[in-house]
Amino acid sequence: MPDISDIWIAIALTVFAGLATGLGGLVTMCVRRPSTRLLAFAMGLSAGVMTYISFMELLPEAYAAFEPLYGDRGASMRMLLAFFGGIGVIALIDWAVPEDENPHEAHTLDELSHPDSHHHLRRTGIMLALAIGIHNFPEGMATFVAALDGLDVALPIVLAIAIHNIPEGIAVYVPIYHSTGSRRKALRYTIISGLAEPVGALAGMLFLLPFWSPTVNAVSLAAVAGILLCPVYSVNPWMGATVQTKGLVVCILGGLGSIEGAITAGILMGIVESATVSAVGSEWRDAVAYVFLLAILYIRPSGLFGKKKGV
């Protein structure tokens, strides 16, 4: 059973992460049109932190907690089941929330501020606030569980979720403000939607702590990893196809069998894709990346670090 001080720290961290949603509304109230580049950078930073923490911290710790109890194979099986269980929870929520009001679907500021009518505009804002509140509930539980495992794991997660919540606050504030003309009402809706996060932490405290054990801790950590990754990667039966294809491209570009080549090719591919998005738009990203691959292979068929072998 965690110490009472750890529990209060965990709740305080979830309150901080949840209030970042209100910060998004406050930013919009002070700056009429936030920089989309800054928002994109913040979301990318948040995604990177959540991905790293999930794969490098939470899943290894879940496996380490399972392994003494169930052995290598049993630990791996239970870790993966809990991980995909966390993904399933968020995927189920995404399925239940309409696409127009889903905070995990792409929306531009123009789409949020110029729908067909003021009535539809207000409905969009209210539904977004409700949807974000629903999504923040499991995120609050995730933050709470991670905080119980130690601040070294919890602080990066809290920071990533807080950054992730700022654009969600903007998504709620914009339609509510344009439909009502009231900045206070719009800010109130954004803060209320963010408070679902500490409510999720309280639910975790009530339902998990009475049964807390090494197994519950391990299941929770693996499920948290799935919950954090779900907003980063779209969940569908083909969700790994793009990453798998890019991985194959990087291996071929670097030279089959060369670790140094794969690392170098991955960095080069990332630079090429980022430059393409900045120069001509994201719709050309994959096309330019594959043209880059063909150009390198035309010049050096064995890849950047591959060795030619005689027949």
Side-chain angles (χ1 to χ4, degrees):
M1 185 77 174
D3 295 335
I4 189 66
S5 59
D6 294 335
I7 295 173
W8 282 113
I9 291 174
I11 293 176
L13 289 175
T14 58
V15 171
F16 169 77
L19 289 179
T21 309
L23 179 61
L26 190 62
V27 167
T28 314
M29 187 167 65
C30 299
V31 182
R32 295 298 178 91
R33 190 176 182 87
S35 170
T36 53
R37 289 189 176 184
L38 181 60
L39 291 177
F41 173 80
M43 294 298 286
L45 177 65
S46 172
V49 172
M50 288 193 286
T51 301
Y52 177 85
I53 291 295
S54 295
F55 285 120
M56 303 304 293
E57 297 283 351
L58 296 177
L59 288 177
E61 288 195 19
Y63 173 83
F66 273 132
E67 200 270 338
L69 301 173
Y70 303 103
D72 178 57
R73 179 169 295 187
S76 300
M77 181 73 69
R78 286 165 174 80
M79 179 193 71
L80 291 174
L81 286 174
F83 172 71
F84 286 108
I87 290 179
V89 169
I90 300 296
L92 185 62
I93 294 174
D94 278 342
W95 174 80
V97 175
E99 182 176 343
D100 290 343
E101 286 85 24
N102 196 322
H104 290 167
E105 300 293 339
H107 301 288
T108 66
L109 292 178
D110 289 334
E111 288 175 341
L112 293 172
S113 56
H114 299 292
D116 299 333
S117 66
H118 283 286
H119 174 73
H120 182 250
L121 194 59
R122 185 172 183 180
R123 177 185 178 277
T124 298
I126 293 174
M127 287 299 295
L128 271 169
L130 179 61
I132 289 172
I134 294 172
H135 278 87
N136 283 350
F137 188 84
E139 287 180 1
M141 294 188 70
T143 306
F144 178 77
V145 169
L148 292 180
D149 203 56
L151 290 178
D152 56 331
V153 176
L155 288 178
I157 292 177
V158 170
L159 178 62
I161 291 179
I163 295 172
H164 171 79
N165 285 347
I166 292 175
E168 292 183 350
I170 295 173
V172 174
Y173 182 94
V174 170
I176 293 292
Y177 169 68
H178 281 278
S179 64
T180 64
S182 172
R183 295 183 178 181
R184 289 185 178 180
K185 182 176 290 187
L187 185 61
R188 186 163 63 245
Y189 272 99
T190 61
I191 293 174
I192 290 173
S193 65
L195 288 179
E197 205 140 314
V199 172
L202 291 175
M205 182 178 68
L206 294 175
F207 293 105
L208 292 179
L209 288 186
F211 311 100
W212 199 256
S213 66
T215 300
V216 172
N217 180 51
V219 170
S220 300
L221 290 174
V224 165
I227 289 172
L228 293 180
L229 285 178
C230 203
V232 178
Y233 302 100
S234 177
V235 177
N236 57 70
W238 304 276
M239 61 184 294
T242 302
V243 177
Q244 186 178 16
T245 304
K246 288 289 178 69
L248 179 61
V249 167
V250 166
C251 288
I252 295 174
L253 181 60
L256 295 176
S258 172
I259 297 177
E260 298 86 353
I263 295 173
T264 304
I267 295 173
L268 287 176
M269 188 68 74
I271 293 173
V272 169
E273 290 189 353
S274 299
T276 301
V277 171
S278 300
V280 296
S282 60
E283 62 272 13
W284 290 96
R285 178 182 59 192
D286 292 336
V288 172
Y290 290 127
V291 169
F292 175 69
L293 168 68
L294 293 175
I296 295 295
L297 291 181
Y298 180 79
I299 299 171
R300 188 175 175 80
S302 59
L304 293 175
F305 288 79
K307 297 180 179 178
K308 294 182 180 180
K309 294 183 179 181
V311 180

